[in-house]
Amino acid sequence: MATKSFLRTFLHTLPFLLAVRKLKAQDYVLPYEVPQDCDADKFFNIAELKCQSCPEKMLTSASGLSCQCDNGYKEVPDSTNAYRGLEISCQACFDNEVTTNDGLNCILCGNGAPNPTTGACPVCNQGEVIVQYDPDGSLASSSRCLTCDLSMEPDAEGERCVPCHTSHTDDDGKCSCMAPFVLSGGVCFSEEDLLTVEPSAYNVPSQSSSDGVVASWFFTEYLLSVESLCRNNGNFTACQLLGNLCVMVDYNTDEFGATCEAYSNIDLGSANDIPDWPSGMPWLFYTDDVNQILTDTAIQTTFSTNTSSVESMLNIFVAEYDVTGNFEGISSAQDGKLQLCPDTMEKLNAAYVFGTTYTSSCTIPSRMFWDSYTTVLLDPYLYFIDGINNEMLHAVPVLVDNLKRVGNYVNRAASSRNWELTRRFFLVDNVSGKTAADAPAAFVRYASDIELVVTLQTEEGMARNGRIYPPLLRVKYSELSRENDYEGATQAKVTFRVTYSMDQRAGQRGLSITLGVLGALAALYGLVKSNAWRRRSGLIYIDIKTMFKFIAFTCGLLGNVFFAVIFGYSSYWLLFFKKQDMFNVVLPTNEQEGAFIAYVVMAFVFKALDLLHLFVVQCTADIFLIDWERSRGRLVQANEAAANKGNPAPVSIWRTYFVANEWNELQATRKSSVGIQLMVTLFFLEVVGLVHLTTTDPVGSINPDPNSYYGGYDVVLRFAAATGIYLIIAAVQWIFFTFFYDRFVEDVLQNFVDLCSMANVSVFILSANSFGHYIHGRSVHGFADTNMKEMQSQLKREEENLVGQRGLLPNNDQQTFEMLLQNKFRENYDRILQPLNLTQAEQQRANNQDPSRRDIFPDQAQGRGGAKVDSTLEAYATMSKFLSAFIDHGMRDIDYLVKDKLLFEKVLDMEFYDPIDKGFFFNDDGHSFDQVIFFGHESTLLLFEILLFCVVDLIFQSYLMAGIVTYIASMVISHLRGSLGSINLARKTLVDKRFLI
């Protein structure tokens, strides 16, 4: 029982629910019909764009745009029919009478019996016209073939005489328009039929006028007459002209409100089941919510980017009306109907190839807007075929940029909430600016910027396989003045664009979340790295240096994160936008593109700071060369006093200088060649043509047809193509150098380690206070300062395993280590170098206190650093003894253990041990010391160069310019690293800079 009651209630309320639903949303779809489609008994209603049956006793006129009385009937004025735009009824003629040519009267045939087939009088002889009215304009008793009387008004063809306009006929049938009647627009009206308006009603907006308005002759001539004809007679053409006047003032209801108010005050019902479309009148305004209008899903076509498919074209149609309201037809917008810029038909029509982001911009001589264009008003539609193969039209809303409400340009707001959508627009208006009938327009208004925005339908954040919402046509009008632009022969810029969009908030939100999460992880890892640095620096508490280190580490990590995310983001568009058959992906909007550019710039800034930090760390690292060579004899002859005779022979310093020079060359060495990298990248992008994959159309050809249109370059796609090619070539270089060049040609790091072993010199590097790298170069032969024969003998003995291994530990060949040392070690290290940090004044005082220094170094003693040189020699000898003793475990309270790092220690690049009692030497992979030279930071340098390349390309839109700037920057960076590294090497190894060549 309860179920039946519920069902009954539901069925009773169903019609109400459907009505409410209809109130909430309008269907903006109508069948596609043109005059040629109308049957013989129908006429084409130019206001409602549909075929409509003529009333009884009527047939279609020759134009097909109205009805006329059938043969044997005459026209009788009938105001009850006006709402249909017909204005007449038909009255039958008497027997043997025919209808006059104008359809207003019945008449006997004076030249024979009526034709029974056509119902018309016999045709007059050649050179004659049939005359059905007397010279005074009265109906003749019968028709006759004569020349029209001069008092009559001949038609345009001169074939027949016609009476004057019916509005000029008084009660006696005479032509006149005398008081109390008023002549307006060539039509005679009674005063009560015309609106009473202020003179300002005839004003139109004009930027070139001093007061912002111009009194328009066109408005003065037609406003009152067309309003009356539309309101009282339902005249189609008059209603269209009234709508045109409203369009010409940009739908402005503030300062120029009389025109649009006159249109809005006429209520003749609705047309085509669209409440916003007044019957018999042009449709100008929308009343529904903007969002509801722009997200209507009535368009059922599934569009494709396959050019062989009929669904690959965006079929925009326009209904055209001349400036006086005459219907000129409805046709496709192809062949440049909406584009003022001239071009080939193929390129003009490319605007409507679905998925092609189109831009056409040019300058046109201003005079052409007066001399070469006519004013046509356009109503845009989208043509499509519905699910049952019916041809349909969907109204395309127009967003006029110049529309004002309460002094505000509401359509310029970023949010669509307060937008006001309209239906009609024009390309050129050179009529409303006329101040007299025979005078050229004082100003011309033209559509300087037209943008057709196509939005893909989405469902749960995903595109619905090529389905779209109604396109939006954005129009911006500009103005040219006769005085300045026509006489001054200026140029006017016009732009036509077609853009595609979709709701990408989910993707943008995902991008933001990804950056946020990975950025937080980067900051967390930055904390780990800064804490590791603090431990390596022997600091107990977090101080200001640790905070700066945290910022530096985090910047580098954030640069990596931003690059990885935006590379993946841009690669998605490149891979899925190009060559898609079913259109599901559109390029980022201008807003999203702006955010993307900001991310690229941020990544570049972060990486630049990371590179600066790398420079500071590497160019301030402490380094010392330990010479293990010992004297192999005593002096038998001395150049100095005889007291030196018998002293140990000095050890040659050249081996140390040689190792220092090799290290100096190694500091700026890269794993890859920047020149080859950029040359190959530019080859693939510009010569092979991969740059053509970055256009805004979905065509993915690297060999485009020069006669076809292709969209402009897209920022996101250019980034994806450049970074993708750059990374691929970098990977190829890495594979080549790692698996082929290093193994079969030259391993520069291993060669340096071998050189240290043969030179009997170890390299001791401290990149932090208590952390660094050690290259054990102690010769297994005990000495290296020898002749060529002995050197060859040593190499042969080593090949035959007749000597021990080169490693630090016995029976081990591990020569390179990471070091984590005690604070006590660092204190002793700094104490040895402290004399070198004396100021010049302190050095001078020390030199004056010891006269012997002036004798040894007479030049430096005169103020050029004699004390400094002496202190350097002492510090060098002391440091060499100190480090030698440390490596040989020769100090009880400063010692170390050799061990392997734990897996997590390697992954996190930190140590879990505190060097309290002893320091630690960690076995590495053979080249951990590359962290203090460029060789170990190829990824940092590579990312910086990629981002620099892309930032330059963002600025200049030129890969070639980006390559040149990147190469120059890379060379400058390498040179700076070499120069600053040489200064630091000379200062820290105590090797005179003059020997670093």
Side-chain angles (χ1 to χ4, degrees), residues 226 230-231 234-244 268 280-282:
V226 298
C230 181
R231 174 167 46 87
N235 183 281
F236 285 161
T237 304
C239 291
Q240 296 298 327
L241 177 49
L242 181 61
N244 291 349
L268 300 177
M281 297 181 67

Side-chain angles (χ1 to χ4, degrees), residues 666-674 726 737 748 934-935 937-938 941-942 945 970 973-974:
L666 203 61
Q667 290 187 98
T669 300
R670 298 278 301 273
K671 281 185 179 179
S672 61
S673 170
V674 178
Y726 209 105
F737 280 104
V748 292
F934 267 2
F935 202 90
H937 295 274
E938 186 65 26
L941 296 166
L942 178 69
E945 288 162 357
S970 177
I973 289 171
S974 295

Side-chain angles (χ1 to χ4, degrees), residues 513-530:
I513 292 173
T514 303
L515 282 173
V517 171
L518 294 182
L521 292 176
L524 185 62
Y525 188 46
L527 284 173
V528 173
K529 288 175 70 70
S530 58

Side-chain angles (χ1 to χ4, degrees), residues 417-553:
R417 179 177 303 174
N418 295 322
W419 284 357
E420 289 199 23
L421 302 179
T422 51
R423 285 285 299 122
R424 182 167 290 189
F425 71 102
F426 58 83
L427 294 181
V428 177
D429 172 16
N430 51 19
V431 173
S432 66
K434 287 187 173 186
T435 56
D438 56 351
F443 65 90
V444 166
R445 300 178 71 238
Y446 67 99
S448 59
D449 195 335
I450 298 178
E451 180 183 9
L452 183 65
V453 182
V454 183
T455 304
L456 268 64
Q457 294 185 23
T458 54
E459 189 172 16
E460 297 181 357
M462 302 294 293
R464 292 186 60 193
N465 293 330
R467 298 282 293 273
I468 67 171
Y469 295 119
L472 173 67
L473 191 70
R474 308 180 73 133
V475 180
K476 179 180 180 180
Y477 297 118
S478 297
E479 184 178 305
L480 300 170
S481 72
R482 179 85 180 183
E483 181 180 357
N484 297 328
D485 297 294
Y486 188 92
E487 302 299 339
T490 62
Q491 300 279 326
K493 184 178 180 180
V494 294
T495 302
F496 179 84
R497 292 173 290 159
V498 180
T499 58
Y500 290 80
S501 67
M502 62 182 289
D503 185 0
Q504 302 187 56
R505 289 175 295 181
Q508 194 67 19
R509 185 166 56 251
L511 176 65
S512 301
I513 292 173
T514 303
L515 282 173
V517 171
L518 294 182
L521 292 176
L524 185 62
Y525 188 46
L527 284 173
V528 173
K529 288 175 70 70
S530 58
N531 182 60
W533 177 86
R534 179 187 62 82
R535 292 164 60 90
R536 290 173 174 180
S537 297
L539 300 175
I540 300 176
Y541 304 105
I542 296 176
D543 59 1
I544 190 65
K545 290 183 180 179
T546 309
M547 296 302 297
F548 276 116
K549 279 291 180 179
F550 166 71
I551 294 173
F553 288 136

